Amino acid sequence: QVHLRQSGGGLVQTGGSLRLSCSASGLNFRLHTLHWYRQSPGNEREWVSSIQGDGTAKYIDSVKGRFTISRNNVRNTLHLQMDSLKPEDTAVYSCKVDRAGVTFWGQGTQVTVSS
């Protein structure tokens, strides 16, 4: 069974930084594309960033230049470094992976950016 365990997040002022981590087990980690999503109150969950096994990364336009996704294929961990945070980044952030047609989610972690 695939398990994704998140850590990080919290409360930060505008312009601050936070780092999210997602530790994976139960899959051949390096073979899978990993994703970060977020959901704020009253809004649908939105895709934030993805990283392929070879390190190729993609970002939603609103976080380009501020967020950096990375992975460690030895430690089976995924990270999201979030810099220059804005109040509109406030949301619950979740990591996600698809394996054999099944989607697995981390437990979610709250990120709150105060103005």
Side-chain angles (χ1 to χ4, degrees):
Q1 182 72 334
V2 176
H3 290 286
L4 301 175
R5 181 171 56 88
Q6 294 181 225
S7 60
L11 173 64
V12 67
Q13 292 184 336
T14 297
S17 297
L18 286 171
R19 179 177 171 89
L20 305 181
S21 296
C22 177
S23 178
S25 62
L27 76 167
N28 196 337
F29 184 83
R30 64 183 179 86
L31 298 181
H32 295 276
T33 297
L34 303 164
H35 313 268
W36 286 104
Y37 282 74
R38 66 186 180 186
Q39 186 170 21
S40 55
N43 294 315
E44 293 187 356
R45 182 181 286 170
E46 70 171 353
W47 170 81
V48 176
S49 182
S50 296
I51 185 166
Q52 298 178 18
D54 63 359
T56 301
K58 297 181 180 179
Y59 302 91
I60 192 173
D61 285 348
S62 60
V63 308
K64 284 181 180 177
R66 301 188 298 119
F67 289 13
T68 304
I69 192 171
S70 63
R71 63 190 294 160
N72 185 318
N73 288 339
V74 174
R75 296 185 175 182
N76 289 5
T77 54
L78 170 71
H79 304 283
L80 186 67
Q81 177 66 39
M82 305 183 292
D83 299 318
S84 303
L85 282 161
K86 304 176 181 180
E88 51 264 42
D89 295 318
T90 295
V92 174
Y93 286 71
S94 300
C95 54
K96 191 199 85 165
V97 67
D98 296 297
R99 176 179 176 269
V102 179
T103 297
F104 297 90
W105 292 94
Q107 79 273 23
T109 185
Q110 178 70 45
V111 170
T112 303
V113 185
S114 62
S115 57

